């Protein structure tokens, strides 16, 4: 896998502009199992990732691997059904490509979703968690080499709007800190106990770098976790990918309603 050339997102945006994909106001990155959000898009147009020069396919089960464009909540949006994870062997640049394309296309708001394990003992499978803070043990992304803080994710305005939308539509939501683990394997029970003491509420292998990159690009990002399983060691159940589909089936309508409400706001 090659390092992304710095102007690749720009070239992809130029390719999309040639197809008449202009005036994008918001973007959504759909986590595993959440691809059905694309059914909400009116006047939808779509291009499989592997037909976009400079873009790669996605191999994770539950990801469609296609880019959509159309109207949601009265606004022109881009939706990425499928993302690229570090644990699949992609470079950090490659994992950040969807965010960078969205930025190049003019999206200001970006909603970044994921399937995640629940660390917080009060969480249940199927909970939707508004990500209000990040934990990223060992990451270089949060600070510069001299230790100064880099881009700070502080989505208070989104949390307030999301609570508003959820209350209006009768959607139950949780709120908490997303802990970024690079994978590829799920965590050990001991790691999860440690992460709980550190203040993590959900754990997953994406989203944190994307949120920070969106901030770096001057966008206004917001992250949402779908809790697809209790994190390692909480129950005796063996963790596997099929849980993601089941949890997503339970909440995909609420998820789409919430995102649509936020886009509309
Ligand atoms: N850990 C890490 N990533 C995940 C999990 C988990 O328990 N569930 C879904 N993605």
């Amino acid at each position: 896998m090659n390092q992304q050339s710095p102007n690749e997102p720009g070239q992809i945006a130029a390719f999309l502009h040639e197809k008449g994909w202009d005036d994008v106001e918001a973007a959504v990155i759909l986590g595993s199992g959440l691809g059905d959000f694309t059914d909400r898009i009116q006047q939808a147009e779509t291009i499989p990732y592997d037909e976009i020069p400079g873009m790669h396919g996605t191999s994770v089960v539950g990801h469609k691997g296609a880019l959509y464009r159309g109207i949601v909540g009265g606004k022109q949006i881009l939706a990425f059904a499928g993302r690229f994870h570090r644990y699949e062997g992609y470079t950090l640049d490659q994992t950040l490509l969807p965010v960078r394309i969205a930025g190049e296309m003019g999206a200001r708001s970006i909603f970044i979703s994921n399937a995640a394990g629940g660390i917080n003992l009060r969480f249940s499978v199927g909970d939707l968690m508004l990500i209000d803070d990040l934990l990223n043990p060992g990451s270089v992304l949060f600070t510069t080499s001299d230790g100064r803080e880099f881009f700070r994710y502080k989505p208070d305005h989104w949390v307030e709007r999301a609570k508003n939308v959820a209350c209006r539509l009768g959607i139950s939501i949780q709120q908490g800190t997303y802990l970024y683990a690079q994978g590829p394997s799920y965590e050990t029970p001991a790691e999860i106990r440690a992460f709980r003491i550190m203040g993590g509420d959900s754990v997953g292998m994406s989203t944190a770098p994307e949120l920070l990159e969106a901030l770096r690009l001057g966008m206004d990002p917001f992250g949402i976790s779908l809790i697809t399983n209790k994190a390692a060691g909480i129950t005796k159940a063996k963790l596997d990918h099929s849980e993601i589909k089941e949890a997503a089936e339970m909440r995909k309508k609420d998820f789409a309603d919430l995102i649509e409400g936020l886009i509309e706001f």
Side-chain angles (χ1 to χ4, degrees), residues 184-225:
S185 41
Y186 277 7
E187 302 67 38
T188 65
E191 283 171 329
I192 294 301
R193 287 196 300 277
F195 291 167
R196 187 175 305 117
I197 292 168
M198 290 164 75
D201 294 298
S202 72
V203 57
M205 304 178 195
S206 63
T207 304
E210 293 156 279
L211 288 169
L212 295 175
E213 179 65 1
L215 288 170
R216 191 183 71 81
L217 295 172
M219 300 162 86
D220 187 10
F222 189 37
I224 297 180
S225 283

Side-chain angles (χ1 to χ4, degrees), residues 28-32 34-35 37-38 63 79-83 111 113 255:
V28 187
I29 297 180
L30 298 166
S32 302
L34 294 170
F37 172 82
T38 56
H63 279 300
F80 294 83
R83 60 145 67 81
F111 305 97
S113 61
F255 170 78

Side-chain angles (χ1 to χ4, degrees), residues 4-72:
Q4 191 181 121
S5 76
N7 59 359
E8 211 163 273
Q11 285 164 358
I12 293 173
F15 168 84
L16 298 172
H17 282 308
E18 268 171 37
K19 297 207 168 293
W21 287 26
D22 295 320
D23 307 321
V24 169
E25 289 179 73
V28 187
I29 297 180
L30 298 166
S32 302
L34 294 170
D36 284 356
F37 172 82
T38 56
D39 295 343
R40 281 296 164 98
I41 305 174
Q42 294 162 4
Q43 298 163 36
E45 294 173 65
T46 179
I47 311 177
Y49 285 167
D50 55 15
E51 290 176 21
I52 301 174
M55 194 109 169
H56 22 80
T58 170
S59 56
V60 176
V61 185
H63 279 300
K64 294 189 195 174
L67 181 54
Y68 289 73
R69 181 249 201 186
I71 313 276
V72 173

Side-chain angles (χ1 to χ4, degrees), residues 163-177:
K163 285 182 173 169
N164 233 295
V165 173
C167 181
R168 181 161 50 80
L169 301 179
I171 300 171
S172 62
I173 43 169
Q174 303 279 9
Q175 179 179 341
T177 296

Side-chain angles (χ1 to χ4, degrees), residues 115-118 186-187 203-205 228-232 239 244:
Y186 277 7
E187 302 67 38
V203 57
M205 304 178 195
T228 54
N229 56 280
K230 289 184 182 259
L239 303 180
I244 293 183

